[in-house]
Amino acid sequence: MRPEREPRTGEGTRPSPAVRDRDDDLSVLFGMSTALFASMAGPAHVLEAANPAFFTAIGGGQRERTGVPLGDLMPELEAQGFLRLLDQVYMTGERHVGRDTRVVIGAGSRAREAYFDFTYEARRDAGGNVVGVRMIGVETTQAKHARRLAAEQRALLEQIARQAPLPEVLEGMCRVIEELSPDVIVSVLLADEEGRRLHHGAAPSLPAFYNQAIDGIAAGEGVGSCGTAAHRRRMVIVTDIATDPLWDGFRELAARAGLAACWSTPILGREERVLGTFGMYHRTPRAPQDADLALAGMFVDTAALAVERHHAERDRRMADAREKAARDDLSYLLTVSTALAGPLEEGQTLRRLAELAVPALAPLAAVDVLEAGRVHRVAAAAVTGRARELLASPGAAREFLETEDDAVARVLATGLTEVARRTPAGPGPWEELGVTGYLCVPLMDRELPFGVLSLYATDDAALDGHRIALAEEVARRAASAAHNARQYAQRAALARDLQTGLLLPDLPDVPGAQMAAFYHPAGQGLDIGGDFYDVFPRGDGSWSFVLGDVCGRGAKAATTTALVRHTARAVAPLLDDPVAVVKAVDRALNDRNAQQNNGFVTLVYGHLTPARDGLAVELVRAGHTLPLLLDSGHTVTPVEAHGGLIGIGVPPRLDAVRFTLRPTESLVLYTDGITECRGENTEQYGDARLAKALASTPAHPSAAEIVRKLTEDIRAFTDGRRVDDDQAALVVTAEGP
């Protein structure tokens, strides 16, 4: 601070009795005050009077005396410039005011840092001459420390608010306290989740060997000051470590670290949960003062806030991590289910399983299945091609009974998951692959294992419980998909066999006629079509032909198709009238019981008889699309034949149509799957386009050329898209004489 100046009025040597009396009065006045008062005389600044607060501030003891120069009483003032200030005030008579001035009182280990607000002012005699210097002051050390403590605490709270790392906050707190109380060494220990052990949190001034030794001490009675404080949940004060029984197990350690006293306060959170301890060490035996206890209490509360904030943030991150892991698991399982839900055969499903397991579950995966008493490796996947080749190398079948020491064999025998953090015992390129552990999960089919998903770890990544549970769920879904694929394949094979039996493998050779057919089912696998056609001899030189459409799809439609074909084949040689044949088929359909009834049937049935001028045709239409006649001039005309549906329980009204198919003329029978198929703009193919396609065939087309033209036009119209209904066509072309 800049000194306040007074005009110099003169030089004095010895104070007059009046001056001394006045200063004696001031000494008495300040006697019981906390303010400091001292009166000095002459240029040597001989201390004439001072109050008890002054002597207390300068250290008391041997310094509590007057009649000696201040420089002799407090030699440390010389180096700090205070004696020069006294000289200046004495010589100039100008007052000096100091604000929050730092003063080091004493020397060596007894030195004390203090702060004062003070005034040096001249003492004058009756004539106005300066005869000495008077000092009036107030010690501000505690107020300055309090302001600094508040500032440091605000800084710590700001660190906590911005979620600074807990070790950074705790170490900063320790350093603040050690700066405020230079003879204190601070340590913070943090409790584990159960509150049973204390671990190193922060202790920047303690030796490293000491921090390592007490890291993990138990929270219990007699475990030093900190362990006991955590156990008792209240402050524990040990003034002399060398004699206190609480330190029996740590006395030598404390002596090595130069520690003589320790006061420990438990850090308590909500619901009195022990979060840790706050220890204050001293190098000499000592009991705490009120200021020490207040300091400890303030920073314990701050430490509790920091630790609880750290725990809350840690719990939040853990919850976020668990939520993310759960979302990732669900996403992965959804990916697995989607990938396995397609129309895959069993082998594809198991290969897809191995691919999906890498690297999500492990860097290496293999799938083995048991077939006819032998174990086959059907799939292998790895993060590198070389590793996959090595893992697939044991793929040759091996006898199941000869592999009882193998994990795959054990899992196949027991149906239980097996996990180990070691190299598998069975044969394999484990060393070259760097395998350090394995997990074998059974693939179950109706509670019986039919295969094993094996996952292999190649580093320290543990095959933990979470990964085991996830692998078991993936294996369960894959096993279900494989089971469904197996069943689908079996049923699809049955359906193919059934449909193959319902369709002609080849059209027969009919004298005087060319025959060609087109069949395109809308469904695949189990979705057996309802369209059919047939050509067969009647035994008298004539031939029967039929093309029809059964209502519905699947097995019931197949049984209805078989009933229609076989009934027609059975009665056609016995009945000359095509109408009678169709009515016999209608009766057979209506005689079915309710479980067998699969709805109505539409068809065109007729007889072909070779003639000198072509083919004599007699046909019946039962609710089906009109047959088309392509003549030699490429004119397309429908064959008008009237008739209703059959198989609906009402006798149909049927009329036969007779005509002669001249050489090079063709009769085209087709199902509505052709005319009702749709193109890109949802427009139907239609009767007009069908007639146009037939008319665009080359001159005198064969039956095969007509079918080829028709299929090409349909394919161009649909642009390769899947059709919704079966498509079938039968073409009969009369040959020349």
Side-chain angles (χ1 to χ4, degrees):
M1 299 288 292
R2 294 185 62 185
E4 297 180 12
R5 298 185 179 273
E6 293 181 348
R8 183 175 182 181
T9 58
E11 192 85 9
T13 56
R14 296 280 299 173
S16 66
V19 175
R20 289 198 300 272
D21 291 343
R22 187 166 63 251
D23 279 48
D24 289 341
D25 292 340
L26 289 173
S27 178
V28 172
L29 179 63
F30 282 97
M32 301 304 293
S33 173
T34 57
L36 283 62
F37 169 79
S39 178
M40 291 153 283
H45 311 303
V46 176
L47 184 64
E48 284 190 334
N51 69 340
F54 175 81
F55 288 120
T56 300
I58 67 173
Q62 295 181 354
R63 292 189 170 190
E64 293 186 26
R65 53 197 174 100
T66 57
V68 296
L70 186 62
D72 294 343
L73 190 66
M74 300 179 66
E76 66 270 18
L77 297 180
E78 174 69 30
Q80 299 178 65
F82 290 102
L83 295 182
R84 287 194 300 275
L85 283 175
L86 289 171
D87 291 342
Q88 180 180 346
V89 173
Y90 183 81
M91 289 186 295
T92 64
E94 296 178 355
R95 183 172 59 177
H96 174 81
V97 177
R99 299 293 185 188
D100 217 11
T101 303
R102 178 179 180 271
V103 183
V104 177
I105 301 173
S109 61
R110 295 182 177 276
R112 179 175 78 91
E113 180 185 63
Y115 292 85
F116 296 90
D117 288 345
F118 68 93
T119 300
Y120 288 165
E121 62 181 15
R123 295 172 57 198
R124 301 177 185 273
D125 59 14
N129 299 312
V130 176
V131 295
V133 178
R134 181 183 301 116
M135 189 279 294
I136 300 173
V138 177
E139 184 170 354
T140 60
T141 304
Q142 291 185 346
K144 184 175 181 63
H145 282 185
R147 289 194 300 272
R148 183 178 177 186
L149 181 62
E152 296 291 355
Q153 190 175 31
R154 282 197 302 273
L156 290 172
L157 292 175
E158 289 174 0
Q159 281 186 305
I160 296 171
R162 72 169 187 267
Q163 298 181 357
L166 182 61
E168 178 182 323
V169 175
L170 296 180
E171 183 165 336
M173 181 179 5
C174 293
R175 293 192 183 280
V176 167
I177 298 174
E178 291 174 352
E179 290 175 6
L180 294 174
S181 300
D183 57 341
V184 172
I185 301 173
V186 181
S187 169
V188 177
L189 297 178
L190 299 176
D192 59 15
E193 287 296 322
E194 295 77 19
R196 296 178 180 177
R197 293 199 170 272
L198 302 173
H199 296 276
H200 174 72
S205 300
L206 283 175
F209 73 85
Y210 185 85
N211 289 330
Q212 293 173 0
I214 66 172
D215 186 20
I217 62 170
E221 187 69 24
V223 187
S225 300
C226 295
T228 305
H231 175 69
R232 295 180 182 178
R233 297 172 182 265
R234 64 176 184 270
M235 189 175 189
V236 172
I237 299 173
V238 173
T239 59
D240 189 353
I241 291 176
T243 60
D244 197 296
L246 295 180
W247 280 80
D248 286 347
F250 302 92
R251 190 167 289 115
E252 292 183 4
L253 179 66
R256 284 180 56 203
L259 306 176
C262 180
W263 320 323
S264 183
T265 306
I267 302 172
L268 301 178
R270 291 185 294 270
E271 300 178 357
E272 295 299 300
R273 176 190 174 191
V274 176
L275 303 176
T277 59
F278 178 81
M280 302 175 71
Y281 292 90
H282 291 268
R283 298 197 181 279
T284 58
R286 180 183 161 186
Q289 304 299 316
D290 291 342
D292 298 319
L293 298 178
L295 191 64
M298 179 180 296
F299 277 92
V300 161
D301 292 341
T302 305
L305 179 62
V307 174
E308 287 200 315
R309 183 64 178 266
H310 170 73
H311 286 176
E313 180 61 20
R314 180 198 61 191
D315 293 344
R316 184 193 65 79
R317 288 195 301 269
M318 292 175 62
D320 289 347
R322 287 194 297 269
E323 182 180 355
K324 182 180 182 303
R327 289 198 304 269
D328 291 345
D329 288 349
L330 289 175
S331 176
Y332 174 62
L333 291 176
L334 178 61
T335 300
V336 169
S337 297
T338 303
L340 298 176
L344 305 176
E345 52 93 13
E346 183 179 7
Q348 288 179 305
T349 300
L350 298 180
R351 288 191 293 274
R352 184 70 58 83
L353 168 62
E355 294 167 358
L356 291 168
V358 175
L361 299 177
L364 300 167
V367 178
D368 297 279
V369 297
L370 179 63
E371 295 178 355
R374 298 172 71 82
V375 180
H376 298 263
R377 177 147 297 175
V378 296
V383 293
T384 66
R386 174 58 180 163
R388 189 195 63 79
E389 292 175 0
L390 289 171
L391 192 60
S393 59
R398 57 190 188 274
E399 293 294 339
F400 176 57
L401 296 178
E402 295 178 357
T403 59
E404 294 180 354
D405 61 337
D406 183 58
V408 172
R410 287 192 295 272
V411 173
L412 285 171
T414 64
L416 301 176
T417 298
E418 181 174 322
V419 61
R421 291 177 175 83
R422 58 175 175 79
T423 302
W430 314 126
E431 183 175 350
E432 187 171 354
L433 289 171
V435 173
T436 58
Y438 64 88
L439 169 64
C440 293
V441 183
L443 301 173
M444 307 295 290
D445 183 2
R446 290 171 293 187
E447 300 184 358
L448 293 176
F450 70 90
V452 176
L453 167 64
S454 298
L455 304 175
Y456 300 98
T458 58
D459 51 25
D460 295 333
L463 295 169
D464 54 16
H466 168 261
R467 191 163 302 186
I468 294 172
L470 192 59
E472 289 180 331
E473 177 61 22
V474 170
R476 184 188 68 77
R477 298 187 183 202
S480 176
H483 170 75
N484 293 338
R486 190 183 312 118
Q487 283 193 326
Y488 181 87
Q490 293 171 349
R491 293 176 182 178
L494 178 62
R496 285 193 301 271
D497 293 343
L498 179 59
Q499 189 152 25
T500 299
L502 297 176
L503 295 175
L504 289 177
D506 293 300
L507 290 171
D509 292 329
V510 177
Q514 297 176 2
M515 309 290 291
F518 159 60
Y519 180 80
H520 181 71
Q524 296 179 353
L526 302 179
D527 203 9
I528 303 172
D531 291 7
F532 66 93
Y533 61 87
D534 199 2
V535 178
F536 54 89
R538 297 183 61 237
D540 60 355
S542 64
W543 293 75
S544 292
F545 63 91
V546 62
L547 180 139
D549 188 358
V550 173
C551 175
R553 306 186 64 79
K556 287 186 176 181
T559 59
T560 301
T561 298
L563 178 62
V564 172
R565 287 186 60 209
H566 293 310
T567 301
R569 278 179 171 262
V571 302
L574 306 177
L575 302 174
D576 291 334
D577 185 3
V579 172
V581 174
V582 174
K583 287 185 176 181
V585 172
D586 178 62
R587 285 193 298 273
L589 291 172
N590 292 326
D591 287 343
R592 294 174 298 175
N593 58 41
Q595 288 76 19
Q596 293 176 325
N597 196 323
N598 194 45
F600 61 86
V601 175
T602 69
L603 57 77
V604 174
Y605 173 81
H607 294 163
L608 292 176
T609 304
R612 182 173 301 175
D613 55 351
L615 290 173
V617 180
E618 185 177 10
L619 61 80
V620 177
R621 184 177 74 91
H624 201 73
T625 56
L626 291 175
L628 298 178
L629 182 63
L630 177 64
D631 62 19
S632 58
H634 278 67
T635 301
V636 178
T637 56
V639 178
E640 296 293 341
H642 303 286
L645 304 174
I646 60 175
I648 59 175
V650 178
R653 296 183 60 182
L654 303 171
D655 295 323
V657 176
R658 299 173 179 81
F659 59 91
T660 299
L661 201 61
R662 305 296 179 181
T664 72
E665 294 184 337
S666 299
L667 176 67
V668 180
L669 311 179
Y670 61 94
T671 61
D672 58 7
I674 293 177
T675 54
E676 293 179 1
C677 69
R678 296 183 182 274
E680 182 178 3
N681 57 0
T682 71
E683 178 188 2
Q684 288 190 347
Y685 186 78
D687 296 329
R689 178 154 183 156
L690 173 60
K692 184 177 180 180
L694 295 176
S696 64
T697 55
H700 309 304
S702 65
E705 289 174 332
I706 294 174
V707 167
R708 182 168 57 254
K709 177 61 179 179
L710 181 59
T711 55
E712 289 175 353
D713 194 62
I714 293 172
R715 190 178 302 112
F717 178 77
T718 58
D719 195 21
R721 282 183 295 275
R722 182 174 178 178
V723 296
D724 297 327
D725 195 6
D726 301 336
Q727 298 175 344
L730 177 65
V731 178
V732 181
T733 302
E735 293 182 337

